[in-house]
Amino acid sequence: MNGEHVNEEHVNGEPDNLALVHLLRAVTVEFGLRQTDFAARNGMHPTDVRALICLLDAARADEPATAGLLGARLGLNSAGTTAVIDRLERLGHVARVRDDHDRRRILLRVEPAAIRLGREFFGPLIDDMLQVLDGFDPAERETVRRFLTATHAVFAPEPRP
């Protein structure tokens, strides 16, 4: 069968699963365009926005946000990571703070003003997405979660530091 599905549904002339992949790609492209727009409006590089997202994700997961963690997640070398952190610090979006548990270690913290800036721009989009999800029952949301989790594993197969 060479990987083809015999009884696969078709959408717009292409296999349903491939149509879903293309739809996911379209969503990620649109999200990337919004990130680029946010960066441009706020004097940032698109990598700076990705860095802020990484730092916010680390905070949500209760992970210590170090320069090393940020560099690994962004795929940057030490010099590139330092440049991003320096830019974000100059803009007042990130602060370097000493770790309370290990005073030798420097952690990165997203400043409240940067969080507010992000909420002002992305908040309406997030609210609309939450409204869309409210139209799904718990089983459907679990299916979406399983799909997105498995898809994320395809793109990020290595465990994060």
Side-chain angles (χ1 to χ4, degrees):
M1 297 223 181
N2 298 333
E4 292 184 34
H5 298 281
V6 176
N7 293 320
E8 195 169 69
E9 306 254 341
H10 283 70
V11 175
N12 295 329
E14 67 183 356
D16 186 43
N17 285 346
L18 189 57
L20 289 172
V21 169
H22 290 161
L23 184 57
L24 180 60
R25 183 185 61 199
V27 170
T28 60
V29 166
E30 290 299 324
F31 189 68
L33 291 172
R34 298 303 181 283
Q35 288 177 307
T36 300
D37 185 29
F38 176 79
R41 288 178 187 218
N42 293 289
M44 291 186 275
H45 186 278
T47 301
D48 300 340
V49 178
R50 288 192 299 275
L52 288 171
I53 291 167
C54 288
L55 294 173
L56 291 168
D57 288 347
R60 208 172 10 266
D62 202 27
E63 295 177 287
T66 62
L69 176 126
L70 184 61
R73 295 215 174 145
L74 293 175
L76 297 175
N77 62 23
S78 179
T81 302
T82 299
V84 168
I85 295 168
D86 287 347
R87 277 195 309 269
L88 290 172
E89 191 174 42
R90 270 194 311 277
L91 290 168
H93 297 320
V94 167
R96 289 175 167 107
V97 296
R98 290 213 180 273
D99 186 337
D100 289 335
H101 303 292
D102 180 352
R103 302 292 294 160
R104 297 167 296 174
R105 184 163 71 163
I106 302 296
L107 300 176
L108 304 170
R109 180 188 66 218
V110 177
E111 294 288 57
I115 294 169
R116 277 193 305 277
L117 194 65
R119 280 194 185 130
E120 288 170 9
F121 186 89
F122 291 104
L125 292 169
I126 292 169
D127 290 344
D128 288 349
M129 289 169 50
L130 291 171
Q131 189 172 9
V132 167
L133 284 168
D134 282 343
F136 289 74
D137 65 42
E140 290 172 317
R141 285 192 301 272
E142 182 53 33
T143 300
V144 171
R145 184 184 339 277
R146 278 188 322 112
F147 171 72
L148 291 175
T149 300
T151 301
H152 182 254
V154 169
F155 285 93
E158 300 298 317
R160 300 256 173 154

